[in-house]
């Protein structure tokens, strides 16, 4: 069992949990994720390790309640425990001291997985410009943490309630123009699939290397089941063991989008049954 030591609500539907998991905290590297199962009847879901404290033996998970398992997870409180936690999983982010500036872009819940990457890049001596975005100010998460992990932090909101009025793509374009494309070594972009696709379209004409973290459905996360297969550069890859980070300019985003919707009806039904059982409000209504 893995005990929840702290719980915080970061924005409506976004929760942060600090869990006791000393082995995972010790081995974790930026880019890794864990597979968790709440109880013996639960499904396994992947969540990125948003932070860790190897001294204290804790890891931090940040997640958005979008369906049954993440809603159930969001209802847990400090003192509760999770049955299974397997990890760290996935290939860590490739970190080195790059010649030019590195840009980390996080949209919505994607700010959580981009945070450890920004910090690792900065710890390696890079100049890190981060861009974070959300639909509105109250949905923006981890602004302070991203500020500490970056040399410069820029914010965009779709409705203009905070920072730049518009999309993270506009801000990224401005940063590349300002720095000069030859001085931007790497863009790391994490967020909803349409956002990652749009960011890749933005960087493509500048020929700036752009890594994205893909979120296909994962079942075992050990490379055995094939559920997480994605097409990158015309080749089939398993995101759980070959990724989850890939060269965004090579990713087949249409296929990823289609595969993510493969179980939508079952997911809706599962949430409906859970809501009826708990008397809770369905997040699909
Ligand atoms: P459901 O209603 O079951 O599903 C909602 C949608 O989530 C589905 O339509 C599908 O697109 C996706 N999904 C469902 N089951 C899975 C699954 N087993 N694996 C992957 N996606 C699924 N979310 C966060 O909020 N924070 C994170 O840090 C985070 N990190 C992730 C890291 C990786 C490597 C991957 C692959 C996904 C990550 N996700 C993260 C997404 C998270 O796993 C899904 O939101 C979660 O599984 C949804 O489960 P649910 O039962 O609540 O929702
Ligand atoms: Fe089964 Fe990746 S989740 S192969
Ligand atoms: Mg589910």
């Amino acid at each position: 069992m893995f005990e929840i030591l702290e719980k915080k609500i970061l924005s409506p539907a976004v929760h942060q949990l600090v869990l006791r998991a000393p082995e995972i905290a010790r081995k974790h590297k930026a880019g890794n994720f864990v597979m968790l199962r709440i109880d013996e009847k639960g499904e396994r879901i992947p969540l990125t390790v948003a932070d860790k404290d190897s001294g204290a033996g804790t890891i931090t998970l940040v997640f958005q309640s979008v369906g049954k398992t993440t809603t159930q997870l969001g209802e847990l409180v400090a003192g509760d425990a999770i049955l299974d936690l397997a990890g760290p999983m996935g290939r860590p982010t490739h970190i080195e001291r790059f010649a030019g500036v590195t840009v980390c872009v996080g949209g919505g819940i994607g700010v959580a997985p981009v945070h450890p990457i920004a910090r690792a890049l900065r710890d390696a001596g890079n100049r890190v410009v981060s861009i974070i975005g959300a639909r509105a100010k109250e949905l923006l998460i981890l602004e302070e943490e991203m500020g500490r992990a970056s040399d410069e932090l820029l914010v965009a909101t779709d409705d203009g309630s905070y920072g730049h009025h518009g999309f993270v793509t506009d801000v990224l374009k401005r940063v590349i123009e300002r720095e000069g494309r030859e001085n931007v070594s790497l863009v790391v972009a994490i967020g909803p699939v349409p956002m990652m696709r749009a960011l890749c379209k933005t960087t493509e004409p500048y020929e700036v290397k752009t890594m994205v973290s893909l979120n296909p459905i994962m079942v075992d996360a050990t490379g055995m089941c094939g559920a997480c297969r994605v097409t990158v550069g015309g080749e089939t890859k398993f995101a759980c063991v070959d990724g989850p980070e890939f060269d965004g300019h090579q990713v087949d985003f249409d296929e990823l989008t289609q595969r993510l919707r493969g179980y939508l009806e079952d997911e809706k039904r599962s949430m409906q049954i859970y809501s009826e059982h708990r008397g809770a409000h369905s997040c699909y209504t």
Side-chain angles (χ1 to χ4, degrees):
M1 298 291 276
F2 296 85
E3 192 192 350
I4 298 171
L5 301 175
E6 273 175 52
K7 181 195 179 170
K8 239 196 223 175
I9 297 172
L10 300 188
S11 79
V14 177
H15 304 267
Q16 176 175 297
L17 298 180
V18 177
L19 291 135
R20 192 189 308 283
E23 287 298 302
I24 299 175
R26 194 165 56 79
K27 293 188 183 149
H28 165 268
K29 291 202 170 83
N32 286 144
F33 64 94
V34 290
M35 285 301 274
L36 74 79
R37 194 164 66 121
I38 298 176
D39 55 36
E40 67 284 353
K41 288 191 180 153
E43 62 176 350
R44 284 187 294 270
I45 63 157
L47 292 177
T48 305
V49 178
D51 209 347
K52 60 113 184 267
D53 182 336
S54 22
T58 60
I59 61 166
T60 302
L61 304 177
V62 176
F63 60 94
Q64 185 164 17
S65 294
V66 293
K68 190 228 168 192
T69 303
T70 47
T71 298
Q72 191 184 352
L73 194 60
E75 288 167 357
L76 300 182
V77 293
D80 288 339
I82 284 165
L83 180 64
D84 296 324
L85 205 52
M89 293 189 156
R91 284 174 189 253
T93 309
H94 173 78
I95 303 289
E96 64 172 69
R97 171 86 196 264
F98 292 96
V101 65
T102 55
V103 186
C104 292
V105 191
I109 190 69
V111 179
V114 100
H115 168 246
I117 299 174
R119 194 170 53 192
L121 284 168
R122 193 150 184 251
D123 287 349
N126 291 290
R127 183 169 154 242
V128 177
V129 176
S130 293
I131 305 166
I132 59 173
R135 275 185 287 119
K137 184 173 194 271
E138 67 271 19
L139 301 175
L140 200 65
I141 59 166
L142 303 177
E143 185 186 0
E144 261 180 56
E145 289 82 349
M146 284 302 290
R148 282 198 295 273
S150 317
D151 293 280
E152 183 182 0
L153 177 67
L154 302 162
V155 179
T157 50
D158 300 2
D159 69 354
S161 49
Y162 189 49
H164 169 77
H165 184 174
F167 301 115
V168 286
T169 43
D170 314 333
V171 183
L172 176 61
K173 196 165 188 278
R174 279 215 318 252
V175 170
I176 297 173
E177 297 280 352
R178 183 189 77 187
E179 300 289 329
R181 73 176 172 92
E182 62 289 353
N183 298 318
V184 181
S185 304
L186 175 71
V187 172
V188 180
I190 311 185
V193 173
M195 188 207 93
M196 291 194 286
R197 185 206 288 260
L199 285 162
C200 291
K201 283 225 166 82
T202 305
T203 56
E204 207 161 19
Y206 296 104
E207 295 175 10
V208 172
K209 185 173 176 180
T210 305
M211 297 302 285
V212 292
S213 182
L214 300 185
N215 61 337
I217 291 177
M218 293 187 178
V219 177
D220 67 358
T222 62
M224 306 270 284
C225 70
C228 67
R229 63 187 181 275
V230 289
T231 304
V232 183
E235 284 180 26
T236 298
K237 301 278 181 191
F238 287 178
C240 66
V241 288
D242 299 321
E245 287 167 27
F246 294 100
D247 177 347
H249 295 148
Q250 304 289 322
V251 169
D252 183 339
F253 283 109
D254 286 334
E255 180 195 54
L256 176 64
T257 307
Q258 191 198 338
R259 287 182 58 77
L260 275 170
R261 298 178 62 83
Y263 299 94
L264 212 54
E265 288 312 311
D266 301 299
E267 288 156 359
K268 280 183 189 174
R269 203 161 57 241
S270 166
M271 184 64 209
Q272 208 172 352
I273 293 166
Y274 182 71
S275 300
E276 282 164 11
H277 182 65
R278 307 282 295 196
H281 180 71
S282 166
C283 64
Y284 285 108
T285 54

